[in-house]
Amino acid sequence: MISVRRVVSIVVVVAVLAVAAALGGALIRRHVVYGTVLDASSPSVTVKVGDRFSLKVPDRGPSVGDRWSATAEPDGVVTLVGDELISNSLSDRLFGPSIGGGGGKHYFRFDAERAGQVTVTLTNCFQGCWDERTRAESTTVTWTVTVS
């Protein structure tokens, strides 16, 4: 006959293993989707041909007026494969941004296509950059990416 203590121990071990597997799977998925993630504090990076990397910038959300875009010069060294805003708020992630919400981190995902050096610039044209106030709120962040 199995003791209650032994059953509880087995249940605890199984639960710990399940949590560890879920966290490990999430980390692997994150690396596959985003690759190496850089923010403005790391303005240069070296990656290999075929690698994926992401550039991350703060985003107050489209309802506030943030509108991020990406450019890479020269063409052909890296390819933009996607971008997405990931909200800081769990409820915004689950149910969509509330009015005035949706702020978080904006990720731009790139694949390294061929050897060379490229300048990647992310620009936030705040509320359309249509006057001095909105231009003053706009932001540009630049990275130097070396693909080997």
Side-chain angles (χ1 to χ4, degrees), residues 17-134:
L17 289 174
V19 168
L23 290 175
L27 290 174
I28 290 170
R29 180 193 173 281
R30 182 175 191 264
H31 184 72
V32 168
V33 172
Y34 298 101
T36 301
V37 178
L38 304 162
D39 60 19
S41 68
S42 302
S44 64
V45 63
T46 299
V47 297
K48 294 180 181 172
V49 172
D51 283 355
R52 174 161 292 174
F53 65 95
S54 295
L55 303 177
K56 173 179 73 169
V57 289
D59 192 318
R60 294 167 288 191
S63 64
V64 174
D66 279 356
R67 300 280 186 272
W68 285 95
S69 62
T71 60
E73 295 291 330
D75 288 337
V77 178
V78 299
T79 299
L80 178 65
V81 294
D83 72 285
E84 67 183 310
L85 172 62
I86 298 180
S87 176
N88 289 333
S89 164
L90 181 59
S91 67
D92 282 354
R93 287 185 198 178
L94 295 174
F95 307 112
S98 56
I99 295 174
K105 303 289 186 239
H106 202 125
Y107 290 80
F108 289 82
R109 296 183 312 274
F110 294 87
D111 284 343
E113 300 293 339
R114 65 174 174 83
Q117 191 170 64
V118 61
T119 300
V120 179
T121 304
L122 302 184
T123 303
N124 176 18
C125 185
F126 183 70
Q127 295 181 349
C129 299
W130 62 277
D131 64 13
E132 288 301 316
R133 182 189 64 80
T134 56

